[in-house]
Amino acid sequence: LLRSLIILFFFFFLMIRRPPRSTLFPYTTLFRSCALRGSDGIIEHLENKLNIKLGETTEDNMFSLIAVECLGSCATAPMIQVNLDFHENLNKEKLDLLIDELKAKKD
């Protein structure tokens, strides 16, 4: 029972955000199995592309870069979740295309 409460508590506080609130939330994982498949490079590339660090929001309030422990997609890592959509088997080129597409949808 205690483990279940801790998990519920953790996920509850993931849903609470301090302003400013962005439109898109790229979630990425810090889990070691994902790191072995290249997620560290994806995180660094996202930080450089968006000009923010983990936990920060872009100046236009479009993106907030958030890290979670696991997204349950080990076989298709590295991946990110943008809001409710999973984007899997990423590399830097695919990530650039995704970010550009998301920015274009805003306009």
Side-chain angles (χ1 to χ4, degrees):
L1 180 66
L2 180 59
R3 185 177 194 291
S4 298
L5 289 175
I6 291 170
I7 291 169
L8 285 172
F9 182 81
F10 173 76
F11 282 107
F12 173 77
F13 280 102
L14 260 181
M15 295 185 295
I16 297 174
R17 310 217 190 286
R18 291 180 292 161
R21 185 177 175 90
S22 66
T23 307
L24 301 169
F25 295 93
Y27 292 91
T28 188
T29 180
L30 299 174
F31 203 61
R32 282 304 354 136
S33 61
C34 290
L36 291 172
R37 294 184 52 100
S39 68
D40 291 343
I42 294 298
I43 293 170
E44 183 179 332
H45 189 71
L46 271 172
E47 288 178 332
N48 291 331
K49 177 101 176 151
L50 299 174
N51 198 30
I52 57 174
K53 297 290 183 193
L54 282 176
E56 295 180 347
T57 299
T58 56
E59 287 184 21
D60 63 0
N61 288 333
M62 186 171 183
F63 296 97
S64 293
L65 186 56
I66 300 164
V68 296
E69 190 60 34
C70 182
L71 291 168
S73 190
C74 300
T76 58
M79 60 84 63
I80 64 170
Q81 178 182 347
V82 178
N83 296 345
L84 299 177
D85 299 321
F86 275 32
H87 302 275
E88 303 165 316
N89 296 307
L90 291 174
N91 57 36
K92 292 177 183 178
E93 293 78 23
K94 288 180 182 178
L95 194 55
D96 285 342
L97 286 173
L98 174 62
I99 297 299
D100 292 343
E101 287 174 14
L102 293 170
K103 286 180 178 180
K105 284 182 183 178
K106 180 185 177 192
D107 299 331

